[in-house]
Amino acid sequence: MAKKIKTVFMCQECGYESEKWMGRCVCGAWNSFVEEKVLPPLAEDTRRRASDSAKPLPLKTVGTLNYERMDTGISELNRVLGGGIVLGSLVLVSGEPGIGKSTLILQAANNIALSGKKVLYVSGEESEEQIKLRGDRILPSMSGDLFVLSETNMENVNEVLSVLQPSFIILDSIQTLYSSEIDSAPGSVSQVRVCGNQLMKIAKTKNIPIFIVCHVTKSGDLAGPKTIEHLVDTVLNFTGERDQDLRILRSFKNRFGTTSEIGAFRMEEKGLVCVDDISGTFTEGIQQDTEGAVTAATYEGSRPIMFEIQALVTPANIGFARRTALGIEVNRLNMILAVMEKKGGLSLINQDVYVNVVGGIRPEGTGTDLSVCLAIYSSLKGAVTGKKTLALGEIGLTGDLRPVQSADKIVKEASRLGYEQVILPLKNAEKIKGDIKGIKVIGVKNIQEAFSLYRRA
């Protein structure tokens, strides 16, 4: 059967359409109409996202949307998302098994349901009874608008959505979903791609936000095809050490906000609790006279975060010296050690070096270079400072210190936490112009000057 092609005339100035050519458009423009052929889509084509006919529009005539956000009732989650959940967005949540993904999204789902919106929690891994047991444990009051569905067939999920018409959807996890359109097993590349496309169509056409839980591989990367990461609007990663109660939520992709923001949570018996003072949590209990321990800082999103870097330098027994780092890239550690030997005059070729970032956080950027360098120096020489000290700065291959961003905000946060002095690059110190609320700001040019300062007075 031949496809019926519709002919329309569209104004290039305002996008107005007419079934007949007009000399003058309603917007006042003359001779601005052009003829276009519009081919209607097949009714059975489920791969398309839009439901109307495909037609180009002048970019200047496209209206911009003020994205409405949905409050999750969890301040740290709202912070990472950029202020809340954008309607019609797809959010991918990943993390190791047992880290707290299901707990976090169940708390957010119940908070949204308590505000009067219908929420559907689709689980392909747990039964309704298992979800109810978790809800009884972590939810102080359970909303009657929170619905659960234990289902793995995508077509059945679509039927439930058409009847229930929820305002928020959670799918845990996409690796358990399958579509009857193809014969491959759930979790395969084809199934994840097809189910992801169907979920995107639901979110964009019905303006419903969807949270998708995704498994991770042994290396911590998202399992399944890379297409799913490009498909969604936001990718969140939930990390933490199993022997500690602190959890970190980081955004790796966000079309509606920044990707440098992180959220902190503490796992308790009643679920996840937001940690507002993350710097105070990481730095509590730090002893200022401990060898090999230096406080570092980084600026994540809209707030500074301080943490402790520990180093242990011990003579190597047999063979090559070991270089081990947790939270810091090993290649970056090797570069810092090379600069310390060449420009700092230290001998580390026969020393094992171990570096650890306390708390399980993995700082981004190079602003922690000076802290790592001073921690190694402190452990090697047994040198400690008699004051509560913070160090930050990037180390170049010449041994000079390069400035870091938002140093003034980090210094103000250090002053609030009771630090006595800050060692940072000279250019940063010149911009700060003096001490801030009792904290001494010391600018250094290279690592040699930093070594001479980091000793007990």
Side-chain angles (χ1 to χ4, degrees):
M1 182 178 179
K3 300 179 181 178
K4 185 178 180 181
I5 301 177
K6 181 181 179 181
T7 301
V8 297
F9 296 89
M10 186 178 71
C11 176
Q12 291 183 310
E13 295 293 330
C14 67
Y16 175 77
E17 289 185 0
S18 175
E19 294 184 357
K20 61 181 181 179
W21 188 88
M22 299 170 58
R24 184 180 183 184
C25 179
V26 294
C27 68
W30 286 92
N31 299 323
S32 59
F33 281 89
V34 293
E35 181 180 352
E36 289 192 352
K37 304 293 184 180
V38 179
L39 182 64
L42 296 175
E44 64 272 13
D45 189 1
T46 60
R47 295 171 296 179
R48 297 184 72 250
R49 188 175 81 180
S51 56
D52 53 355
S53 300
K55 55 186 177 182
L57 293 175
L59 181 59
K60 66 179 182 180
T61 66
V62 178
T64 57
L65 297 177
N66 294 321
Y67 291 106
E68 182 181 352
R69 294 182 182 267
M70 184 181 296
D71 184 13
T72 65
I74 304 175
S75 60
E76 291 296 298
L77 178 58
N78 287 340
R79 177 195 294 269
V80 177
L81 291 172
I85 306 174
V86 175
L87 299 184
S89 63
L90 265 72
V91 180
L92 195 66
V93 184
S94 65
E96 295 182 357
I99 206 67
K101 304 185 299 296
S102 299
T103 300
L104 178 65
I105 60 178
L106 183 58
Q107 290 180 244
N110 187 65
N111 291 338
I112 294 173
L114 288 173
S115 65
K117 298 180 176 65
K118 286 185 179 180
V119 178
L120 178 61
Y121 189 118
V122 181
S123 177
E125 300 177 345
E126 297 177 304
S127 64
E128 291 90 344
E129 291 78 10
Q130 289 175 307
I131 301 175
K132 179 61 164 57
L133 288 174
R134 182 187 297 114
D136 291 337
R137 178 174 55 87
I138 66 175
L139 301 179
S141 60
M142 196 174 301
S143 173
D145 288 326
L146 176 58
F147 297 86
V148 294
L149 173 66
S150 182
E151 181 58 68
T152 57
N153 183 269
M154 193 63 209
E155 284 71 26
N156 292 340
V157 173
N158 286 332
E159 292 181 5
V160 174
L161 293 178
S162 62
V163 175
L164 184 63
Q165 296 184 352
S167 300
F168 181 50
I169 305 171
I170 295 173
L171 290 113
D172 187 5
S173 65
I174 194 171
Q175 276 82 9
T176 62
L177 288 179
Y178 73 94
S179 175
S180 302
E181 296 179 0
I182 54 178
D183 297 330
S184 57
S188 62
V189 173
S190 300
Q191 286 288 2
V192 172
R193 184 182 294 114
V194 170
C195 293
N197 283 325
Q198 293 188 28
L199 292 173
M200 180 185 66
K201 183 177 181 180
I202 294 171
K204 302 304 179 183
T205 58
K206 298 183 178 180
N207 207 29
I208 302 175
I210 301 178
F211 266 32
I212 305 173
V213 178
C214 184
H215 294 164
V216 295
T217 61
K218 292 181 179 180
S219 60
D221 299 326
L222 290 175
K226 201 72 174 177
T227 307
I228 191 66
E229 296 183 54
H230 298 288
L231 194 66
V232 300
D233 299 305
T234 305
V235 178
L236 305 180
N237 183 250
F238 212 36
T239 60
E241 300 294 334
R242 292 186 177 274
D243 58 343
Q244 298 181 7
D245 58 359
L246 191 66
R247 302 289 187 267
I248 299 297
L249 183 66
R250 185 184 296 273
S251 173
F252 288 128
K253 173 186 177 182
N254 193 352
R255 289 172 177 164
F256 307 106
T258 177
T259 57
S260 59
E261 197 75 68
I262 70 171
F265 302 86
R266 180 179 290 106
M267 179 64 77
E268 297 182 355
E269 184 179 356
K270 295 297 184 179
L272 290 166
V273 179
C274 296
V275 178
D276 297 325
D277 187 9
I278 184 172
S279 295
T281 302
F282 280 126
T283 57
E284 63 181 0
I286 294 181
Q287 301 295 328
Q288 62 186 26
D289 291 332
T290 304
E291 295 180 3
V294 178
T295 303
T298 183
Y299 200 80
E300 297 280 358
S302 60
R303 59 181 175 181
I305 298 176
M306 300 182 184
F307 47 89
E308 185 181 22
I309 292 182
Q310 295 179 348
L312 177 63
V313 181
T314 180
N317 294 325
I318 302 174
F320 294 101
R322 298 186 60 181
R323 299 329 188 206
T324 304
L326 296 177
I328 300 293
E329 292 185 1
V330 177
N331 292 335
R332 194 71 190 177
L333 173 61
N334 290 330
M335 189 213 75
I336 294 174
L337 294 175
V339 174
M340 292 176 67
E341 289 189 349
K342 181 71 174 181
K343 303 299 181 179
L346 303 179
S347 178
L348 296 167
I349 191 171
N350 60 343
Q351 301 287 330
D352 291 336
V353 179
Y354 304 87
V355 176
N356 176 44
V357 180
V358 180
I361 189 173
R362 295 182 177 274
E364 294 184 349
T366 56
T368 59
D369 287 355
L370 182 58
S371 303
V372 174
C373 178
L374 291 179
I376 296 172
Y377 176 82
S378 174
S379 179
L380 177 66
K381 297 295 187 180
V384 294
T385 180
K387 299 179 180 180
K388 197 174 182 181
T389 304
L390 170 72
L392 67 150
E394 177 186 350
I395 297 177
L397 294 178
T398 61
D400 294 335
L401 295 182
R402 299 176 60 85
V404 295
Q405 295 182 350
S406 305
D408 55 337
K409 299 177 182 178
I410 293 176
V411 172
K412 291 180 180 179
E413 179 69 6
S415 174
R416 183 185 70 84
L417 294 175
Y419 282 82
E420 301 176 63
Q421 63 181 13
V422 178
I423 302 176
L424 73 172
L426 186 60
K427 291 184 178 179
N428 285 129
E430 292 174 351
K431 291 182 179 179
I432 294 176
K433 297 179 181 180
D435 302 342
I436 298 179
K437 293 182 180 180
I439 187 172
K440 188 176 183 181
V441 179
I442 305 175
V444 293
K445 184 179 180 181
N446 49 46
I447 60 174
Q448 292 93 337
E449 295 182 10
F451 291 159
S452 62
L453 283 172
Y454 201 79
R455 292 192 180 94
R456 184 185 297 274

